[in-house]
Amino acid sequence: MRKFLNTLFVLSEDSYLSLDGETVLVLSGEQKRGQFPLHTLEGILCFSYKGASPALMGKCAHEGINLAFLTPRGRFLARVSGENPGNVLLRKEQYRISDDESRSCRYARSFVFGKVYNGRWSIERTRRDHALRVDTEALRRASKTLSDSLPSILAETSLDSLRGLEGQAAAVYFGAFDTLLLNQRETFAFTGRSRRPPLDPLNAMLSFAYSLLSNICAGALESVGLDAYVGFLHRDRPGRSSLALDLMEELRPLFADRFVATLINNRVIQPGHFEQQPGGAVLLTDEGRKIFLAAWQKRLSESLTHPYLKEKMVWGLVPYVQALLLTRCLRGDLDAYPPFLWK
């Protein structure tokens, strides 16, 4: 099992990263902004246009440190990866399954099952904890609809039909999502998903959280020897880490959706933390991103008991554990992939 360590977030747009012995040096012009031992880092997320030195990129690739580059607004650009750590037999099996839609569907339906199950759990949790502040009947109907769809998802053998079931469940889930928002509704009312670009503050936060989660999942898959770009539910597309998108499906309601709702309900993120671009896009300000990322890192360090392994761990380790479970299934050690089902 891979140990979860800290992730370094480099937020300043003018920062440059370089290698200094066994440490990463953060520079702004000639000024030293920080220095961190590499052995304490699991990953580095760089939100700077200046990037990093080839020496640091090579060191991170050799040491298995996930070094990823994003724009200052959080759009993923690139990831540094070294020699594949997994054996060739594992990846060949992954490719064979991906080329066979019937076999792919066996994995895809587990990802979708986990997503719908956890979405329903999130709705039920709000219905239970805030019964006097929400429309409990609307949430009950949404929860029942999602629950009723689970047996069909688990029995589906066609990828196209499975995507149809996923779309129907997503419509029900997001139809109830606005009810999960208890405060600041004048700013964060949810009317639907807008992605590229996000057109309101809530969608800006969801998109940012999905970007962070996708990067973690891709790093987790690569760390266990899988190809993050060859998926089962999400099919091949140049530049898209399809298997990472597969893996994050079951984690979206917990890692992203509920996390964002909590930031809004607790007034951690407020209307002043957003800015509108000339083209209509709404993005987090620099201060908003710092607050968001601080809360994100705190969330990843909180503990839970894994529902399948029954072992205590931090939230940030969950994608790595799920990636390991996926490899065991691909090798035939497990009969089916066990999605992360939280209660």
Side-chain angles (χ1 to χ4, degrees):
M1 184 178 292
R2 185 158 183 174
K3 185 180 179 181
F4 177 78
L5 301 174
N6 288 331
T7 297
L8 173 64
F9 293 94
V10 181
L11 301 176
S12 300
E13 295 184 19
D14 62 344
S15 291
Y16 180 75
L17 309 182
S18 66
L19 181 67
D20 184 0
E22 295 296 318
T23 68
V24 53
L25 187 63
V26 183
L27 300 170
S28 179
E30 298 298 322
Q31 182 181 0
K32 176 180 173 181
R33 300 290 297 272
Q35 191 166 7
F36 307 88
L38 285 171
H39 75 271
T40 67
L41 298 176
E42 179 71 25
I44 302 173
L45 294 185
C46 181
F47 293 81
S48 167
Y49 284 122
K50 289 192 174 182
S53 69
L56 177 64
M57 290 190 283
K59 183 69 171 179
C60 287
H62 182 266
E63 298 296 330
I65 299 171
N66 181 38
L67 173 58
F69 300 96
L70 302 94
T71 69
R73 302 307 183 200
R75 182 173 62 85
F76 176 77
L77 294 174
R79 182 183 304 106
V80 173
S81 60
E83 184 177 352
N84 292 335
N87 64 60
V88 65
L89 297 180
L90 177 62
R91 291 206 173 201
K92 287 180 69 175
E93 179 65 9
Q94 178 189 353
Y95 299 149
R96 281 193 290 265
I97 294 173
S98 180
D99 286 339
D100 185 332
E101 289 205 3
S102 177
R103 297 181 69 191
S104 289
C105 192
R106 299 175 192 171
Y107 291 85
R109 65 194 181 198
S110 292
F111 298 135
V112 175
F113 182 92
K115 177 182 181 180
V116 176
Y117 180 98
N118 289 328
R120 175 181 180 264
W121 171 88
S122 184
I123 289 173
E124 281 293 327
R125 185 69 175 266
T126 299
R127 180 179 170 223
R128 183 194 70 190
D129 294 347
H130 305 285
L132 299 179
R133 302 182 62 187
V134 299
D135 186 343
T136 56
E137 180 58 25
L139 292 181
R140 185 197 66 79
R141 290 195 301 268
S143 175
K144 184 177 187 306
T145 301
L146 294 177
S147 178
D148 291 346
S149 72
L150 292 174
S152 298
I153 290 171
L154 206 55
E156 189 53 67
T157 59
S158 163
L159 279 177
D160 287 339
S161 298
L162 180 63
R163 293 188 187 101
L165 291 173
E166 179 194 18
Q168 294 170 16
V172 172
Y173 170 74
F174 278 115
F177 189 74
D178 188 60
T179 312
L180 309 184
L181 306 176
L182 307 177
N183 293 316
Q184 306 188 92
R185 294 181 58 83
E186 64 281 359
T187 298
F188 296 101
F190 183 74
T191 58
R193 279 290 284 137
S194 57
R195 298 171 176 82
R196 290 179 289 272
L199 299 177
D200 58 65
L202 179 55
N203 276 291
M205 294 174 70
L206 288 174
S207 293
F208 192 37
Y210 292 156
S211 178
L212 294 172
L213 179 57
S214 174
N215 182 71
I216 293 174
C217 289
L221 292 165
E222 291 169 356
S223 74
V224 299
L226 291 170
D227 189 336
Y229 288 85
V230 179
F232 304 134
L233 175 64
H234 295 83
R235 309 310 290 170
D236 297 347
R237 181 184 298 175
R240 182 173 75 175
S241 52
S242 296
L243 190 60
L245 296 179
D246 286 355
L247 186 65
M248 71 181 281
E249 288 292 355
E250 66 203 67
L251 305 178
R252 283 176 187 260
L254 308 175
F255 272 75
D257 303 345
R258 193 165 184 83
F259 171 75
V260 166
T262 299
L263 293 185
I264 295 171
N265 291 338
N266 292 342
R267 303 183 188 274
V268 176
I269 293 289
Q270 299 181 14
H273 292 137
F274 299 88
E275 57 187 6
Q276 187 165 12
Q277 303 298 298
V282 175
L283 303 172
L284 282 159
T285 63
D286 291 344
E287 180 64 21
R289 286 204 313 279
K290 291 178 182 178
I291 294 172
F292 189 103
L293 289 170
W296 177 267
Q297 193 71 348
K298 181 180 178 182
R299 172 61 168 165
L300 294 186
S301 66
E302 294 174 356
S303 298
L304 76 152
T305 299
H306 193 281
Y308 180 77
L309 298 180
K310 308 302 181 184
E311 294 183 11
K312 192 173 182 179
M313 63 186 65
V314 293
W315 276 96
L317 187 55
V318 170
Y320 290 90
V321 171
Q322 294 305 120
L324 283 169
L325 291 172
L326 181 58
T327 63
R328 291 186 182 182
C329 187
L330 290 170
R331 290 190 175 111
D333 298 332
L334 295 174
D335 293 334
Y337 168 73
F340 181 80
L341 304 178
W342 187 241
K343 296 181 181 179

